[in-house]
Amino acid sequence: EAYSTTIAQEEFNTTMKPLIDRVQNLIRKVVARVVMKDDDGRTTKTTMDEVVLVGGATRVPAVQTMLRKEFPSIPDLCSSLSAEGAVAQGAAIQAAIKSGLVPLSELKSAMMLDALPHAIGVLLPDGKTYVPILEKDAQLPAMGYATFTLADIHQSGVTVVAVEDVGV
């Protein structure tokens, strides 16, 4: 049998607040990392002309309110794009950046950033010790490393258990 209930908007917003606060902190960290360079390589002031909303949570009024407060100079939040199209554009931009074939100056107007939602690391053989390799909120693409020592000099192999730290 299906379960259905009704809750007041205020109760919903209260329930969502910890998640919205996490998103707000992530947005602030990512925006703080954005540094643009002019054609001569000098750092310029970063400006944003548009905030594109993609995904179901972006339709939540409390999320939209938070975004309007974070970006007061942007009059309208853009939710008219298709989610699939925005993801495809983001993938194309990331591919252009990684290829190095397209100058960043040509991508300025379409720059999209992504970050890790959780830390990624290695679980040691005791099954309890976690060694982070990439920190939560690391800007993508990202690279990390750690050095480990073999347990025995005659050891013929090693099993690496990569895990995502979801903070549960």
Side-chain angles (χ1 to χ4, degrees), residues 113-135:
L113 300 175
D114 200 359
L116 286 176
H118 308 289
I120 296 176
V122 174
L123 193 61
L124 297 184
D126 65 10
K128 298 176 186 171
T129 307
Y130 169 78
V131 178
I133 305 294
L134 295 172
E135 296 297 324

Side-chain angles (χ1 to χ4, degrees), residues 23-82:
V23 169
Q24 185 175 33
N25 288 333
L26 176 60
I27 288 169
R28 288 178 177 168
K29 285 179 183 179
V30 170
V31 169
R33 291 182 186 166
V34 176
V35 177
M36 300 302 273
K37 303 276 185 182
D38 64 15
D39 292 334
D40 296 324
R42 294 182 303 247
T43 301
T44 61
K45 184 178 179 187
T46 301
T47 59
M48 286 191 214
D49 300 317
E50 189 173 35
V51 173
V52 178
L53 305 181
V54 178
T58 62
R59 306 289 187 246
V60 175
V63 171
Q64 292 182 5
T65 299
M66 177 271 297
L67 290 169
R68 283 189 186 96
K69 287 179 183 174
E70 284 298 309
F71 302 102
S73 64
I74 298 174
D76 295 315
L77 300 174
C78 179
S79 58
S80 61
L81 299 178
S82 77

Side-chain angles (χ1 to χ4, degrees), residues 89-102 107:
Q89 181 181 7
I93 290 169
Q94 288 298 318
I97 291 169
K98 289 196 69 97
S99 75
L101 298 174
V102 180
L107 295 172

Side-chain angles (χ1 to χ4, degrees), residues 22 26 114-120 135-138 140 164-166:
R22 284 177 58 191
L26 176 60
D114 200 359
L116 286 176
H118 308 289
I120 296 176
E135 296 297 324
K136 179 180 184 273
D137 300 332
L140 296 175
E164 185 176 55
D165 179 13
V166 294

